[in-house]
Amino acid sequence: MSYVDEVLKTVREKNASEPEFLQAVTEVMESLRAVVDANEDKYRKYGILERLVEPERIISFRVPWVDDQGNVRVNRGYRVEFNSAIGPYKGGLRFHPSVNQGILKFLGFEQVFKNSLTGLPIGGGKGGSDFDPKGKSDREVMAFCQSFMTELYRHIGADTDVPAGDIGVGAREIGFLFGQYKRITGLYEGVLTGKGLTYGGSLVRTEATGYGLVYILDEMLSHIGESLKGRRVVISGSGNVAIYACQKAQQLGAKVVTMSDSNGYIVDENGIDLDVVREIKEIKRGRIKEYIDRVPGASYHEGSRLVWSVACDIALPCATQNELDLESAKLLVQNGCTAVAEGANMPSTLEASAYFLEKGINYMPAKAANAGGVAVSALEMSQNSERLSWSFDEVDRMLKDIMKEIYRMTSEAAEKYGHKGNFVVGANIAGFEKVAEAMIAQGIC
Ligand code: NDP
Ligand code: 2IT
């Protein structure tokens, strides 16, 4: 049995109750076959694959808080510290009722390779809670965040583990978390990224994931002589990533016709009015269906998955894992879609992703496509360390360069191992090689 198959078999046996984690590991391992087969003795000798699939540490804890009616509520908090071979653990916190250990392990595992691709010194981690911020008052969210940090603080630090936002964790939550960390430890340090601009945040971090997604998409298109100009784009989600992907795509001349949330999607044939979306989502924390009350001619449809039935040239899934299945992939291709770039983490099922590759779709997978967010987080860490802040244009230029470099590394790795144009294989191999070398250099740990 090959080394890859041996490790896959063990991972499946040991993690049978964690389907998302198994999905992420399967995709990476299948991609690594070529490079592992060519260097099997070396990687086996150092147990690289066995070590890569086991988090260095998982912390799980009780988060008690009091709601506005005076009831005691209890949620479960986690931090998965996956791999610190190339830097301190780095990755977001997700607050969503669907959060469990398996989902955070998949996200932490993906983060290891993504962070490596940025070229910056950051290891991989992820955390969060099954707390649902939706419908909670600001005071309830603050009470939850303070309780969450009252345990988390002892595991994190500017040089050990630096969390940030993800689904359900934005500027408001990061502020409450930072305040509590500072209060308990007495340290004013870059322990979190995505901070507000008045207390150590970086310009462009808010926009970074969406902008980075469109920068790498633009780079991919330019290599086949195409651009975003005049192209019809379908975006899912209406959160941080979706909003700034929409903004940059529009700036580059595309027409974005949809956005969604977990209930349904809107279609605006005149092109999404992003000011309206931002007011609904960022200011009112409302639902996407409110868009049709504000914009004549727009329509709302129940059922978020059907967003993929809207005809487009380019699809940008920016909501959540497995939101795009094989049936959706077929619909997209049938209706003329020729490019897909993933803003969300693992939005395509294994079958959907295989279908895009089989059909020759220009397909940029999440690890490469959404790495702009964590890349600017790493730039925020640099600014905090030197106690300076860089201009919007400076950070934006660095983000653009990083995304171009990720495209180059990804396409070169794919070509080198005989999979030209397969950016799934390319991103996994390019991310893996640096982490594996660092692990070998540091001995068995
Ligand atoms: P937000 O919380 O800002 O927005 C999430 C969006 O996705 C909302 O529109 C939400 O709708 C929708 N959504 C969430 N869960 C589901 C679901 N189960 N089914 C359908 N829609 C859903 O999160 P972000 O924009 O930050 O994150 C979106 C994706 O991008 C995630 O996969 C995240 O891991 C990934 N990502 C985020 C980065 C960042 O910097 N923020 C960086 C890299 C990746 P609703 O309001 O109905 O829940
Ligand atoms: O999935 C991700 O890369 C993020 N949620 C951002 C992580 C970060 O540390 O900025």
Side-chain angles (χ1 to χ4, degrees):
M1 202 187 269
S2 76
Y3 183 30
V4 163
D5 286 319
E6 264 176 42
V7 173
L8 261 180
K9 182 168 175 286
T10 313
V11 172
R12 288 187 181 127
E13 284 164 5
K14 285 175 88 169
N15 305 275
S17 61
E18 297 176 339
E20 293 87 0
F21 179 58
L22 291 180
Q23 182 182 340
V25 173
T26 301
E27 184 215 275
V28 170
M29 289 293 162
E30 293 297 343
S31 293
L32 296 182
R33 270 184 204 282
V35 64
V36 171
D37 288 352
N39 302 277
E40 174 149 351
D41 289 352
K42 177 173 74 171
Y43 292 139
R44 236 187 221 283
K45 178 174 168 201
Y46 292 102
I48 289 297
L49 298 186
E50 294 88 332
R51 286 195 284 149
L52 258 183
V53 296
E54 198 62 37
E56 289 178 19
R57 187 178 302 105
I58 298 181
I59 300 138
S60 160
F61 50 95
R62 178 174 73 195
V63 189
W65 55 282
V66 178
D67 69 19
D68 285 346
Q69 285 69 47
N71 304 309
V72 176
R73 309 276 287 261
V74 178
N75 287 97
R76 196 170 282 178
Y78 302 91
R79 186 71 181 165
V80 178
E81 296 184 333
F82 220 110
N83 191 303
S84 61
I86 65 170
Y89 310 105
K90 181 85 198 83
L93 296 172
R94 177 177 291 190
F95 292 169
H96 192 274
S98 64
V99 162
N100 58 40
Q101 183 170 297
I103 287 179
L104 295 178
K105 277 174 68 182
F106 119 64
L107 289 162
F109 182 73
E110 293 282 291
Q111 200 83 45
V112 174
F113 303 92
K114 181 199 306 192
N115 292 5
S116 169
L117 282 173
T118 66
L120 300 166
I122 39 179
K126 200 86 187 188
S129 173
D130 57 2
F131 173 74
D132 187 359
K134 241 179 251 153
K136 303 286 190 301
S137 69
D138 284 351
R139 196 212 58 83
E140 289 177 321
V141 170
M142 181 173 74
F144 175 81
C145 288
Q146 290 178 340
S147 180
F148 185 83
M149 186 54 86
T150 301
E151 174 58 34
L152 187 67
Y153 89 93
R154 56 183 97 242
H155 310 288
I156 63 175
D159 294 311
T160 50
D161 183 352
V162 184
D166 192 80
I167 291 177
V169 178
R172 174 182 61 170
E173 290 74 18
I174 294 292
F176 294 147
L177 291 164
F178 183 80
Q180 185 73 352
Y181 180 85
K182 187 188 66 175
R183 190 175 186 203
I184 296 174
T185 63
L187 295 171
Y188 204 108
E189 61 172 17
V191 65
L192 292 157
T193 59
K195 298 184 294 296
L197 298 177
T198 53
Y199 63 95
S202 174
L203 287 161
V204 196
R205 177 60 189 89
T206 305
E207 297 86 352
T209 311
Y211 278 20
L213 172 69
V214 176
Y215 290 150
I216 200 166
L217 165 68
D218 192 41
E219 182 71 10
M220 173 170 74
L221 294 177
S222 77
H223 282 261
I224 49 169
E226 292 181 12
S227 78
L228 276 145
K229 212 169 176 56
R231 312 300 293 279
R232 211 177 132 90
V233 178
V234 159
I235 294 183
S236 67
S238 48
N240 172 266
V241 179
I243 286 174
Y244 294 97
C246 177
Q247 186 174 75
K248 186 52 73 177
Q250 289 178 340
Q251 283 172 8
L252 297 185
K255 186 198 241 192
V256 179
V257 290
T258 66
M259 293 192 99
S260 69
D261 60 24
S262 51
N263 298 112
Y265 64 97
I266 52 161
V267 179
D268 188 345
E269 288 295 343
N270 296 318
I272 295 290
D273 183 336
L274 201 57
D275 289 340
V276 172
V277 174
R278 289 182 64 183
E279 201 184 306
I280 294 169
K281 301 302 292 188
E282 294 182 340
I283 298 169
K284 286 183 53 201
R285 296 182 187 275
R287 309 300 299 161
I288 199 67
K289 73 169 172 223
E290 294 165 37
Y291 185 89
I292 59 167
D293 303 332
R294 307 270 305 271
V295 181
S299 56
Y300 174 73
H301 311 263
E302 285 288 334
S304 53
R305 269 170 200 269
L306 289 171
V307 69
W308 309 120
S309 66
V310 178
C312 64
D313 302 309
I314 297 167
L316 304 178
C318 296
T320 194
Q321 67 271 2
N322 292 327
E323 57 168 311
L324 200 168
D325 59 9
L326 178 60
E327 201 184 324
S328 312
K330 285 183 174 167
L331 270 177
L332 280 170
V333 174
Q334 189 183 313
N335 291 331
C337 174
T338 58
V340 177
E342 299 181 332
N345 284 306
M346 205 169 75
S348 306
T349 62
L350 286 175
E351 296 75 24
S353 151
Y355 186 77
F356 289 142
L357 292 169
E358 180 197 318
K359 292 291 168 192
I361 300 303
N362 297 292
Y363 173 49
M364 190 55 70
K367 281 186 197 77
N370 72 34
V374 75
V376 173
S377 277
L379 301 179
E380 182 172 329
M381 289 166 71
S382 298
Q383 293 169 75
N384 292 162
S385 296
E386 65 172 14
R387 299 184 194 285
L388 291 173
S389 41
W390 308 336
S391 71
F392 190 97
D393 287 348
E394 237 172 318
V395 181
D396 192 36
R397 184 177 41 75
M398 291 171 89
L399 169 63
K400 221 178 272 178
D401 289 346
I402 289 168
M403 298 315 293
K404 278 192 173 186
E405 184 59 13
I406 293 176
Y407 177 84
R408 188 190 63 75
M409 285 163 53
T410 299
S411 55
E412 283 182 11
E415 195 162 350
K416 180 172 168 197
Y417 289 96
H419 295 272
K420 190 168 190 284
N422 182 333
F423 302 126
V424 176
V425 166
N428 285 324
I429 292 180
F432 164 79
E433 283 184 317
K434 180 178 171 187
V435 176
E437 288 312 312
M439 288 173 74
I440 291 170
Q442 291 171 34
I444 307 306
C445 57

